[in-house]
Amino acid sequence: MSPALGYGRGGFSTKIHLVTDGNGLPMGALLTAGQRHEAPFFAEVMDAVRVPRPVGRPRKRPEAIAGDRAYDSEENRRWCWRRNIESVIPARNGMHTGPGRPPTCDEKKYEQRNVVERLVGRLKERRRVATRYEKKASHYKAMLQWAFVGEYLKR
């Protein structure tokens, strides 16, 4: 695992890629360097999610995925289409000007995307998550998972 440290807009930092359910409970996370873009890690973050069921294999495919404009890429949309998942990702401004219809986005479902932002806010209330003290990414991810446990216990 790389150290997941790099220079982003806020200086030397780590970027946390999160997946939540519709209620704002964390389901998976991936750490990358602060300057890395979100779109290339979309499939990797989504593959980390497994929802246990009473019988059978864990569920890996949600009904819909909501993401912000940064996740708008042809590869991410194809990934969703191959798995029969509805993509609730709005098109970036001026990016789909070529032939064909630009991708559509269900506005009602997109309004629910703020649960991820609220979860990030709750996680950053913990000083250990907000200010990364650990040198190793594996140790920081362990602290992040402890914060996930705290979120589950609150509910």
Side-chain angles (χ1 to χ4, degrees):
M1 179 179 245
S2 68
L5 284 169
Y7 284 98
R9 285 184 161 195
F12 205 54
S13 65
T14 299
K15 191 175 285 187
I16 303 169
H17 307 271
L18 283 174
V19 178
T20 66
D21 65 357
N23 299 319
L25 289 174
M27 297 178 71
L30 178 71
L31 300 176
T32 59
Q35 78 272 14
R36 297 298 306 263
H37 197 271
E38 290 95 353
F41 300 102
F42 176 78
E44 191 174 345
V45 172
M46 292 306 300
D47 286 337
V49 175
R50 286 179 172 68
V51 179
R53 292 192 280 189
V55 178
R57 294 181 303 189
R59 183 180 165 125
K60 290 184 65 176
R61 195 178 69 203
E63 294 175 13
I65 294 175
D68 60 3
R69 292 177 193 272
Y71 289 101
D72 176 34
S73 73
E74 193 63 35
E75 296 84 27
N76 292 345
R77 290 187 188 278
R78 261 190 264 123
W79 187 90
C80 292
W81 181 78
R82 276 183 296 211
R83 286 159 180 80
N84 200 19
I85 300 171
E86 181 184 359
S87 171
V88 186
I89 301 171
R92 287 182 283 171
N93 296 332
M95 293 302 290
H96 297 280
T97 57
R101 193 177 75 207
T104 59
C105 174
D106 186 359
E107 296 297 326
K108 290 291 184 190
K109 288 183 181 177
Y110 184 70
E111 288 175 2
Q112 299 300 316
R113 195 190 64 79
N114 67 13
V115 296
V116 176
E117 306 301 333
R118 291 193 316 236
L119 174 64
V120 170
R122 288 193 308 269
L123 291 174
K124 296 283 178 132
E125 288 175 4
R126 294 164 175 84
R127 187 184 306 176
R128 193 93 188 218
V129 174
T131 307
R132 180 179 167 169
Y133 295 114
E134 292 79 15
K135 282 186 175 184
K136 291 188 174 184
S138 59
H139 295 179
Y140 183 63
K141 187 157 185 183
M143 288 298 128
L144 189 63
Q145 288 173 341
W146 271 110
F148 286 179
V149 169
E151 285 296 314
Y152 274 97
L153 291 176
K154 277 185 184 179
R155 308 269 175 108

